[in-house]
Amino acid sequence: GIIRVGAFSSVMRSVIMPSLVPLINSPHQLKVEFFSRELRELPQLLLSGEVDFIVVDSEVSDTRIQSQLLGVETLVHVRNRQLSHHSEPPIFLDHDVHDMTTYNFFDAQGMADFEFDRNFYDDVYGLIDGVRLGFGEAIVSQHMIKPDDEFEIVEYPKSVTSPVQLCYVKNRYLSVLQQQVIEHLQANVP
């Protein structure tokens, strides 16, 4: 069988793909297609039938979509620890103009009026590389930052988390294989 999964970049390669390894490497001869897309694009991919599952960072409000909480990501503010100077206002790296992660992070800290500039790097790995190279700072998932990296995590009083939701079309027949995907994600997502 073929399973098609769409997810946002900070969980696709680091969480979803590794969580499905036991199923993919089983004798079922499973074929998997992974699609890393922007959050706003994922519900339409699911509803159009282009993917069987999507993984998003909030419950989808469409009544045709069933959501299950897989876990939560903790968001952190990172910058290059080697840089002795930081720009004023600071430059934050986001996916694109629609990405509200940085705004939401500072709003959750009670800093909605915090001023910063933004540059865009398309996916989370671009953001991390940009921070590593000193192009700016970013709000990213803590699990993406390795202890041996050149990053400084800026401390804040409040922890900011983001849900990781598995979604599929409600009231659609789920094959045994699709049910196994759900079970593997529920059991293996860290």
Side-chain angles (χ1 to χ4, degrees), residues 151-171:
F151 299 111
E152 171 188 6
I153 295 178
V154 180
E155 298 294 328
Y156 288 89
K158 296 179 184 172
S159 178
V160 178
T161 60
S162 178
V164 177
Q165 298 276 347
L166 173 66
C167 301
Y168 48 91
V169 175
K170 193 183 289 186
N171 299 326

Side-chain angles (χ1 to χ4, degrees), residues 38-48 54 56 60 62 65:
E38 296 296 330
L39 284 163
R40 66 182 174 281
E41 299 170 349
L42 291 169
Q44 187 52 43
L45 285 176
L46 180 63
L47 291 172
S48 70
I54 59 172
V56 294
V60 178
D62 192 306
I65 296 177

Side-chain angles (χ1 to χ4, degrees), residues 5 16 53-56 65-70 164-168 181-183 185-186:
V5 181
I16 301 304
F53 301 98
I54 59 172
V55 180
V56 294
I65 296 177
Q66 177 72 40
S67 296
Q68 291 184 10
L69 182 66
L70 291 177
V164 177
Q165 298 276 347
L166 173 66
C167 301
Y168 48 91
V181 167
I182 293 170
E183 291 167 8
L185 290 172
Q186 289 172 329

Side-chain angles (χ1 to χ4, degrees), residues 77-81 83 86 149-154:
H77 173 180
V78 294
R79 61 184 172 205
N80 184 310
R81 92 172 57 241
L83 296 179
H86 298 282
D149 279 335
E150 302 169 14
F151 299 111
E152 171 188 6
I153 295 178
V154 180

Side-chain angles (χ1 to χ4, degrees), residues 32-97:
V32 181
E33 297 176 3
F34 292 110
F35 301 89
S36 184
R37 298 289 191 271
E38 296 296 330
L39 284 163
R40 66 182 174 281
E41 299 170 349
L42 291 169
Q44 187 52 43
L45 285 176
L46 180 63
L47 291 172
S48 70
E50 294 176 63
V51 296
D52 302 300
F53 301 98
I54 59 172
V55 180
V56 294
D57 70 348
S58 62
E59 279 194 47
V60 178
S61 60
D62 192 306
T63 58
R64 299 171 289 178
I65 296 177
Q66 177 72 40
S67 296
Q68 291 184 10
L69 182 66
L70 291 177
V72 295
E73 290 186 296
T74 299
L75 301 177
V76 294
H77 173 180
V78 294
R79 61 184 172 205
N80 184 310
R81 92 172 57 241
Q82 306 303 320
L83 296 179
S84 60
H85 67 284
H86 298 282
S87 62
E88 287 298 327
I91 297 170
F92 276 82
L93 311 180
D94 282 321
H95 289 265
D96 60 32
V97 295

